[in-house]
Amino acid sequence: MYEQEVKKLQEIIDDSSCIVFFGGAGVSTESGIPDFRSADGLYQQKYKYSPEQIVSHSFFMRNTEGFYEFYKEKMMFLDAKPNAAHRKLAELEKKGKLAAVITQNIDGLHQAAGSRNVLELHGSIHRNYCRKCGEFYDAPYVKYSKGIPRCKCGGTIKPDVVLYEEGLDSMVIDKSIRAISEADTLIIGGTSLVVYPAAGFIDYFHGKHLVVINKSQAAREVGAELTIAAPIGEILGQITV
């Protein structure tokens, strides 16, 4: 399936020397991690509070136990493995074709696949810090702790993820915008381009080829040269480097 689209994508990649990949939750669904906005995503499930409320800064501060109950079960998938999309992007970087991966995901699967220049717009479940003393804790410590994860100093541990009501890291923003503006090809994958300011970053792209690979239609029209409505791992897995 998708023979013509894959052939066109292959031609674009062969013609590129500085690719930037901009990805969202759809990149990791083939690894068994649910997204937020699809028909069976987290936003369609019924909770006492909406997911937007639960993963907000104010909810974390007000109901830390409730936050962690949801976060550990629905956002921490420590057994997930990189899929064909993650592996192909790492391969493209190794070959000198791919300059950067910009991701809205917090699962660390790009790094697990071997990608080195990964810009994490929304942070990572793999970095956690005590709010009192700053001590670092890894993901398993948080995931398997009882109730609210605590530091040895007694402080509350907070994941280094960007919650609703919190701002993105300005350094990561600057690096992402610079990478996009310098790219000759931008591949947007597994994102509906709903979440701002991240979705607005693509306005800085002035290169040669713009590609969108996403199962559902994006929320905004970006004038892509090639649009493929398919699972991204299935498509990128067919590319030869």
Side-chain angles (χ1 to χ4, degrees), residues 164-184:
Y164 285 101
E165 304 164 354
E166 295 178 347
L168 303 188
D169 184 300
S170 59
M171 193 179 296
V172 177
I173 291 175
D174 290 346
K175 286 180 177 178
S176 299
I177 290 172
R178 189 178 310 119
I180 289 171
S181 65
E182 292 173 355
D184 60 12

Side-chain angles (χ1 to χ4, degrees), residues 9-239:
L9 179 59
Q10 185 72 62
E11 289 170 0
I12 289 172
I13 288 173
D14 290 344
D15 186 49
S16 307
S17 58
C18 185
I19 302 169
V20 166
F21 179 80
F22 181 95
V27 178
S28 293
T29 52
E30 289 166 273
S31 294
I33 297 178
D35 64 4
F36 277 73
R37 291 178 172 78
S38 69
D40 52 356
L42 289 181
Y43 284 179
Q44 309 306 320
Q45 298 175 28
K46 296 288 180 269
Y47 302 102
K48 186 178 177 183
Y49 303 96
S50 72
E52 290 105 325
Q53 282 179 290
I54 298 171
V55 291
S56 68
H57 178 82
S58 54
F59 192 93
F60 175 85
M61 299 302 289
R62 186 177 71 249
N63 185 354
T64 311
E65 192 164 356
F67 167 86
Y68 268 116
E69 193 178 319
F70 177 88
Y71 178 77
K72 290 179 192 179
E73 184 187 348
K74 299 295 184 183
M75 299 181 74
M76 298 188 82
F77 296 88
L78 304 191
D79 296 330
K81 298 288 187 286
N83 61 50
H86 299 106
R87 294 192 296 271
K88 189 62 65 176
L89 291 166
E91 198 181 330
L92 284 164
E93 183 188 54
K94 199 172 178 183
K95 293 284 186 180
K97 282 268 190 185
L98 185 86
V101 168
I102 302 167
T103 181
Q104 298 173 83
N105 297 340
I106 59 174
D107 51 47
L109 290 180
H110 285 294
Q111 291 93 329
S115 289
R116 292 178 176 277
N117 191 22
V118 181
L119 298 167
E120 296 173 311
L121 293 172
H122 297 154
S124 173
I125 63 168
H126 297 284
R127 297 187 300 270
N128 305 275
Y129 299 96
C130 172
R131 298 187 70 244
K132 193 173 176 184
C133 73
E135 182 75 21
F136 169 87
Y137 289 89
D138 63 13
Y141 183 90
V142 170
K143 172 87 171 175
Y144 303 119
S145 60
K146 290 267 195 297
I148 300 169
R150 302 278 183 191
C151 176
K152 54 181 178 279
C153 80
T156 302
I157 295 168
K158 183 179 183 293
D160 186 18
V161 298
V162 179
L163 304 177
Y164 285 101
E165 304 164 354
E166 295 178 347
L168 303 188
D169 184 300
S170 59
M171 193 179 296
V172 177
I173 291 175
D174 290 346
K175 286 180 177 178
S176 299
I177 290 172
R178 189 178 310 119
I180 289 171
S181 65
E182 292 173 355
D184 60 12
T185 294
L186 177 63
I187 300 175
I188 300 168
T191 175
S192 52
L193 297 176
V194 168
V195 180
Y196 280 81
F201 291 178
I202 59 175
D203 294 334
Y204 292 91
F205 176 69
H206 305 293
K208 194 172 179 184
H209 303 292
L210 179 57
V211 177
V212 173
I213 308 170
N214 195 48
K215 282 204 296 188
S216 59
Q217 190 174 359
R220 54 174 295 199
E221 177 55 53
V222 295
E225 174 184 350
L226 175 65
T227 301
I228 307 175
I232 188 162
E234 186 181 327
I235 299 301
L236 287 185
Q238 299 180 61
I239 295 299

